Amino acid sequence: MRIREIFKNNLRYYRKKLGLTQEALSEKIGLNPKYITDIETRAKFPSADTIDAIADALQIQPSQLFAEQGCPVNFVQFDKDAFSDSLVAGISKEIKAEVMRYLEDNL
């Protein structure tokens, strides 16, 4: 994965982990409210000073923004809804099969 992609994924991950919107993080570091949006959409890449400010605002080390395995998105795309639906469907099939076996054996 390319460094900008890693950076933007980590930025989004740590921002959301703190419950910050893009605008709130931009304001926290004293930049235009659209700036974080521009970074996360890969339209911009921040300077070293801005990276330090972002890391401070996110309460992390700057290096964490570049760690390839810094956030789940960087090593596995995870869709919670799809996983949940898949899990429920699988469990439902297993329960139905068990109920059918029980009814066939006992009725």
Side-chain angles (χ1 to χ4, degrees), residues 23-106:
E23 287 183 354
L25 180 57
S26 292
E27 290 170 8
K28 198 170 183 174
I29 60 176
L31 295 171
N32 180 312
K34 189 177 177 295
Y35 191 75
I36 299 299
T37 302
D38 290 343
I39 294 172
E40 288 185 5
T41 59
R42 293 177 36 166
K44 293 190 184 230
F45 196 76
S47 67
D49 289 338
T50 301
I51 291 169
D52 286 340
I54 290 170
D56 286 345
L58 296 176
Q59 303 167 13
I60 60 173
Q61 295 297 313
S63 61
Q64 288 176 262
L65 291 166
F66 296 95
E68 190 160 4
Q69 297 196 354
C71 77
V73 173
N74 285 339
F75 52 91
V76 175
Q77 288 290 343
F78 186 72
D79 182 342
K80 289 184 265 184
D81 289 331
F83 176 74
S84 175
D85 291 346
S86 172
L87 188 60
V88 168
I91 292 170
S92 295
K93 285 181 185 176
E94 290 296 319
I95 290 171
K96 183 178 180 180
E98 284 295 318
V99 168
M100 293 303 289
R101 276 192 289 276
Y102 176 81
L103 292 174
E104 288 172 5
D105 292 345
N106 294 296

Side-chain angles (χ1 to χ4, degrees), residues 11-20 40 58:
L11 171 60
R12 184 180 304 116
Y13 172 76
Y14 290 114
R15 175 180 60 76
K16 287 183 176 185
K17 188 174 178 182
L18 284 182
L20 295 172
E40 288 185 5
L58 296 176

